[in-house]
Amino acid sequence: FPSHDRLLIRISINSNKQNILEMSVEDDGVGFDSSNMKIGSGLNNMKERTKQMNASLIINSRPGIGTLSTLTLSRLLDEQ
């Protein structure tokens, strides 16, 4: 069962800055200490897939506060 009260999903495309797509997911769940996180298979898979897409993934989390994960992908559309 979910351990959060609020979940926010944002998707934006900024065509003025090299067609950047940014997706973020934020919740107010239990969170975790992101400065001391152990990378398990789930996070490893996310980081590997992000690297394959030439994107960036930032995960910020704090115990008792929640988590914000942001994926940024540049150059969505071929320049013409």
Side-chain angles (χ1 to χ4, degrees):
F1 294 101
S3 60
H4 62 272
D5 292 324
R6 181 181 57 84
L7 176 66
L8 175 63
I9 300 172
R10 280 182 290 224
I11 300 173
S12 63
I13 298 175
N14 187 336
S15 60
N16 293 330
K17 293 184 178 179
Q18 299 178 342
N19 296 318
I20 295 174
L21 169 70
E22 185 173 277
M23 296 183 288
S24 62
V25 178
E26 182 177 9
D27 69 39
D28 62 351
V30 297
F32 56 92
D33 183 356
S34 58
S35 67
N36 191 25
M37 70 179 176
K38 295 179 182 177
I39 297 181
S41 61
L43 288 175
N44 278 331
N45 287 339
M46 290 170 61
K47 290 182 180 280
E48 183 60 34
R49 289 180 180 153
T50 300
K51 187 188 304 182
Q52 290 172 358
M53 297 178 348
N54 292 323
S56 68
L57 176 65
I58 300 171
I59 300 172
N60 291 312
S61 188
R62 292 183 28 204
I65 303 292
T67 303
L68 171 62
S69 302
T70 304
L71 174 74
T72 304
L73 179 61
S74 299
R75 300 180 188 207
L76 276 179
L77 307 172
D78 292 330
E79 295 180 15
Q80 299 191 22

